Amino acid sequence: MATVSLGVSTVKPLGDRILVKVSEAEEKTAGGIILPDSAKEKPQVGEVTEVGSGKRNEDGSYQTIDVKAGDKVLYSKYAGTDIKIGGDEYVLLREQDILAMVE
């Protein structure tokens, strides 16, 4: 999947979308072998940085989103859109793509 590079400082997700800062990929295996960049897997864990207003109901009200900025989450492997902002990697997801909160 291609990564979108943005020359902005803030991104505010719309609707039920959530902006997640991707955690760093593992540098070593459990046995201590250092992995080259080509062998690293894309992490599925990250920290929520921005949250949209929620999905709009038929009556015009918004359904609240279960996560908030600062939460660490586990998300689907191929979900969302990869974004690069100021050298940091983010993924823009829908709320349904988040599988769990982690600690």
Side-chain angles (χ1 to χ4, degrees), residues 4 6 10 14-15 35 37 56 58 73-74 83 92 97-98:
V4 177
L6 298 176
T10 54
L14 300 175
L35 296 170
D37 289 338
R56 188 178 289 250
E58 289 182 21
V73 294
L74 173 69
I83 301 172
L92 187 61
D97 294 328
I98 293 180

Side-chain angles (χ1 to χ4, degrees), residues 7-58:
V8 297
S9 59
T10 54
V11 174
K12 178 66 178 162
L14 300 175
D16 66 338
R17 290 178 179 83
I18 299 165
L19 187 66
V20 176
K21 184 174 182 182
V22 178
S23 297
E24 294 294 321
E26 291 292 324
E27 298 285 330
K28 293 183 185 180
T29 65
I33 299 171
I34 297 175
L35 296 170
D37 289 338
S38 61
K40 293 179 188 174
E41 285 191 35
K42 177 184 169 190
Q44 293 175 255
V45 177
E47 182 179 340
V48 175
T49 58
E50 291 284 335
V51 178
S53 56
K55 190 172 184 176
R56 188 178 289 250
N57 297 323
E58 289 182 21

